[in-house]
Amino acid sequence: MTQSPQTNAKGFSKAFWVSNTVELFERMAYYAVFIVLTIYLSSILGFNDFEASMISGLFSGGLYLLPIFTGAYADKIGFRKSMIIAFSLLSAGYLGLGVLPTLLEAAGLVEYGEVTRFSGLTDSSERWMIVPVLFVIMLGGSFIKSVISASVAKETTEATRARGYSIFYMMVNFGAFTGKTIIDPLRNAIGEQAYIYINFFSASMTILALLSVILLYKSAHTAGEGKSMSEIGRGFLRIITNWRLLILILIVTGFWMVQQQLYATMPKYVIRMAGETAKPGWIANVNPFVVVCCVSFITRWMAKRTAITSMNIGMFLIPVSALLMACGNLLGSDVIAGMSNITLMMILGIVVQALAECFISPRYLEYFSLQAPEGEEGMYLGFSHLHSFLSSIFGFGIAGVLLTKYCPDPALFASREAWEAASMNAHYIWYYFAGIGLVAAVALLIFAKTTEFIDKKKKV
């Protein structure tokens, strides 16, 4: 693979750095909204826990299913055009999330302030206008999922690939950290209206990314651009019949089902169990903070090990993280004064979860990129995100059921005592996810041993 002539001292092209910078903006926008999406759907639009979880899960799932197709199309039209389309759609979608509540309030269905007052919205079909708005964001985001990670593949060599994805993943998590930081101070200042206004911040970030692409992005790598639909079809057939990649995706889905609980379960869980003063945005930020601090070190540490070996280590950490999260409801008096045990153990669990992610995610992307023929990077890296489609659908769906069963909405109960009785086993939620993580970890170990045996047999 040839290297772009526009390289810096460290061997990465200008297009590499522009791609990573706009990924930073996009992640800031996405996580500022996604960390409270289920709360937005419930507190702003009046959906119940199960409805909010399913809408969020389908949104997140579609965001990771569509890259299989948008990635192939991006290979055909080029990454620059694809990013312009993506950031235009994202900007319109985030603005839609901010404007929709204004329209509903003008219709007399709801009144927004520090606390939302519903006056007919919960029974109105107009709240379902959220679906086309989320679809616009989903479509724009699906281009980004395939294009940015594929751009890293195009702009690096096999020798610099792991380091390139380490930088990419650090930027992803720095953006995630920054985006999640915005919501809690905004919520403290203006109450539930924060869930509306955060969308305007996200729109401004994607507009900034759009301008950056238009003004700065230019790649010397054009392999795959202009290919015919029949060529795309043949490439698509090759990837969907690659049994190793399909099995690996299914296994890694188990890890991401646990990881999705940062958004599907954790925000409502900590607010209900630790009180309204809990800060789920700050708690969730532990994950990207640890990743930013550790991913480069762990990638270098594991540089001489195979991608599968690194991923195996991370997979066995993930059930440990879920068990730590469960412990918050089992401890007696607060271990640290001024911090609930729910918050403390959630933070410890997320630390372990973030370390698992450092071992898994950059090497997973590297593994997929090395399978991609030149000119099909978008398709292959888009396909690599299929695990997030599956984990979103199943992870959010299970979260909605488990929250309803073990940690229901306090507003549904006549007294605090009745709610406490109903939620005394709230920590059981994390046992389910610990079990899912353990099964996935064992499955990856079997996968690694089996493929190693097959490869050795072929060489004989």
Side-chain angles (χ1 to χ4, degrees), residues 120-143:
L121 182 59
T122 54
D123 299 317
S124 171
S125 61
E126 291 188 39
R127 60 181 178 160
W128 290 98
M129 288 193 293
I130 190 65
V131 172
V133 175
L134 288 176
F135 181 80
V136 170
I137 298 173
M138 183 175 71
L139 184 59
S142 72
F143 274 98

Side-chain angles (χ1 to χ4, degrees), residues 232-266:
I232 292 175
R234 286 194 295 271
F236 189 75
L237 185 61
R238 281 195 300 273
I239 194 171
I240 63 174
T241 55
N242 188 322
W243 67 268
R244 287 195 185 193
L245 296 185
L246 289 170
I247 292 174
L248 182 60
I249 286 170
L250 290 174
I251 292 170
V252 173
T253 296
F255 161 73
W256 283 103
M257 284 180 67
V258 182
Q259 190 77 334
Q260 293 283 14
Q261 301 318 305
L262 276 177
Y263 315 104
T265 297
M266 187 277 290

Side-chain angles (χ1 to χ4, degrees), residues 351-370:
V351 168
V352 175
Q353 192 179 81
L355 292 173
E357 194 172 342
C358 291
F359 281 100
I360 295 171
S361 290
R363 303 305 299 275
Y364 174 81
L365 291 172
E366 177 198 353
Y367 184 92
F368 259 82
S369 70
L370 293 174

